[in-house]
Amino acid sequence: MGSSRNGPIAPDLFAAASAQEAASRSSNPTANAVPRHVLPTDLPAAIKHLDDQELEQLLVAVIAEQVQRGKKPPAPEKTVSKRMEAPSVTLSIGKLNAVRAAFKAGVTPSKIAKQFGIPQADVRKVIASEGIKR
């Protein structure tokens, strides 16, 4: 009869330790660091899905990171088109365009203000910046 042991086979403690050491000693020193975030392959298309507030947050974060790395932030554009220049009204570009379109469609400034929930003075400033006369 053959000699066989009926008890459990003892694990090789050195084999398990060497596997753990190999995993911890990888050739990539950042393997154990915080995972890196990867940008989308089509970044311009991904940015289009951000709303105005998220886009502003992204811009502020990018400029802050550039300053921290010792790079100068990009200089603001010297020429801004009249259409994109926001009058001294704190409305998003989308709302500005909607106010302009509503006014051009014949809606009165008071109705526009009520519809968008903004002061009538702001509506009039947007209209005046466009140079539209009624």
Side-chain angles (χ1 to χ4, degrees):
M1 295 219 175
S3 63
S4 70
R5 292 175 41 171
N6 290 335
I9 299 175
D12 185 3
L13 297 177
F14 294 108
S18 65
Q20 288 175 348
E21 286 176 12
S24 67
R25 281 185 288 149
S26 81
S27 61
N28 186 358
T30 61
N32 296 329
V34 178
R36 179 178 161 94
H37 296 282
V38 179
L39 293 174
T41 54
D42 190 6
L43 187 58
I47 289 175
K48 289 180 182 179
H49 296 287
L50 299 176
D51 63 23
D52 291 339
Q53 183 180 6
E54 292 169 331
L55 191 60
E56 184 67 27
Q57 287 176 338
L58 179 62
L59 179 62
V60 168
V62 167
I63 291 172
E65 183 63 25
Q66 284 181 329
V67 169
Q68 184 178 357
R69 292 182 182 195
K71 295 182 180 180
K72 293 182 180 178
E77 292 182 15
K78 301 273 182 192
T79 57
V80 178
S81 71
K82 184 178 180 183
R83 196 158 201 55
M84 297 305 289
E85 180 183 311
S88 61
V89 180
T90 56
L91 299 177
S92 67
I93 299 293
K95 256 190 186 174
L96 287 170
N97 290 335
V99 167
R100 290 179 185 126
F103 186 75
K104 285 180 180 178
V107 182
T108 63
S110 60
K111 287 185 180 179
I112 295 170
K114 190 174 185 180
Q115 177 67 34
F116 291 109
I118 57 176
Q120 191 172 350
D122 287 353
V123 174
R124 292 192 184 280
K125 286 179 187 175
V126 171
I127 295 167
S129 73
E130 187 70 16
I132 304 171
K133 300 274 183 183
R134 201 170 236 270

